[in-house]
Amino acid sequence: SNGNSYAVVPKSYYNDKIKISDKLLVALIGGNNSSLAMQKNNYKLSIPLTMARLAFVGETVTSGGKELKNEVDITCTNYVYYLQNQRLYKDALTWLSKAISQIPTSPIWQECIDTTVYNYITYYLNKGGIEEAQNAYNTWIDVLSEKTRNQIPLNIFIGQLNTEPYSMTPDKALDYLDTMARNPLAQTTEGKTVLLRTKEYFWQEKIKPLVAQQLFFEAATVADQGLQDIPSSALLLSLKKQCLNNHAVLIHNQYATLFNQGKYQEALELLQRGIKEVPGNTTLLSDINRVQRALGN
């Protein structure tokens, strides 16, 4: 500042400089205006400016041309994401369908297409709109990347499992789930997990009314049927054990009434039937020993 010192500009500051055309220099003004418009979500101005810059400069300037194409991709992508953030998924897809034919494919643009279609379908799946989701997938399948094209059918399959059976009776739901189990997507890790979890839920729904009526042995029988369908279910195994224990308690209470009335033979016959239904139950075994002593055996 006193005129007796100077600063050296490091080479790294200008090491990557490139030559640009006069057109590209002029187009910087349009780029600045485009950026300002985009900051205000004014894409009706930002997108035409960005497209006009590319058309004005052309692809003759290799580096500059690539940069401008990249800016077109980014600006259009930001607009599509802006619409999605407003939950205007259908508007985003409508605009996207018009823009695809005018904007050459690039990694940025392809990711935008995949994400938009994926989010649109997910939005409908979360609302239980299976048919809308499937229709959207069928419409957009040809422009999706292979990864997204493979992922969406699995999401729709899981969406079906999470919605359709819940309007059915447990028996009909389990029949429906058996049919769905034949779908190849049911063999994927995620598909198998959701399918088994849903089956488990409806087996539990079959058991609940029986428990409410204190038909514990019948409930345990249904739980056992569920275990034949889902051998790995810790929940159904626990329910079966609990129902059998409750059944044993009912038998014990009935036995106690008969025993106190001196009806030892009836009590013994009751206990013998009970031990066949709940093998190894320590309470019932103890009751049998007691009534046998009372009978002099």
Side-chain angles (χ1 to χ4, degrees), residues 64-219:
K66 286 183 178 178
E67 288 175 6
L68 289 185
K69 172 60 173 69
N70 191 56
E71 287 183 22
V72 168
D73 292 342
I74 291 172
T75 305
C76 292
T77 297
N78 285 349
Y79 177 53
V80 174
Y81 290 153
Y82 166 76
L83 291 174
Q84 292 183 68
N85 288 337
Q86 306 300 311
R87 296 188 177 276
L88 300 172
Y89 300 105
K90 189 169 289 188
D91 291 348
L93 274 181
T94 299
W95 188 87
L96 195 59
S97 65
K98 297 176 182 177
I100 284 176
S101 61
Q102 301 180 47
I103 302 175
T105 303
S106 69
I108 294 174
W109 193 226
Q110 183 62 56
E111 183 179 355
C112 175
I113 294 169
D114 286 344
T115 302
T116 304
V117 176
Y118 185 94
N119 289 345
Y120 179 77
I121 288 174
T122 300
Y123 168 75
Y124 272 107
L125 289 177
N126 290 339
K127 293 173 59 178
I130 304 298
E131 184 177 353
E132 292 91 340
Q134 186 64 59
N135 289 340
Y137 177 70
N138 293 340
T139 300
W140 289 89
I141 184 173
D142 292 336
V143 297
L144 297 174
S145 67
E146 183 179 0
K147 180 181 178 182
T148 305
R149 196 161 55 240
N150 292 334
Q151 179 63 42
I152 289 176
L154 176 59
N155 291 356
I156 293 174
F157 175 76
I158 290 173
Q160 289 175 298
L161 295 179
N162 286 334
T163 55
E164 294 184 352
Y166 289 89
S167 61
M168 306 175 186
T169 64
D171 284 329
K172 288 186 177 180
L174 289 167
D175 288 342
Y176 168 83
L177 294 171
D178 283 339
T179 301
M180 294 293 281
R182 294 193 285 271
N183 188 314
L185 293 170
Q187 302 308 313
T188 62
T189 301
E190 192 174 356
K192 186 180 294 185
T193 298
V194 176
L195 179 66
L196 293 182
R197 183 187 67 209
T198 310
K199 275 190 170 187
E200 193 175 58
Y201 170 83
F202 283 104
W203 278 112
Q204 189 176 4
E205 288 298 293
K206 284 191 69 170
I207 293 168
K208 281 183 179 179
L210 297 171
V211 170
Q213 299 174 64
Q214 294 195 336
L215 299 172
F216 296 116
F217 183 71
E218 291 81 352

Side-chain angles (χ1 to χ4, degrees), residues 49-63:
L49 273 174
T50 308
M51 298 287 284
R53 288 181 69 209
L54 182 60
F56 175 66
V57 175
E59 295 285 353
T60 53
V61 181
T62 304
S63 178

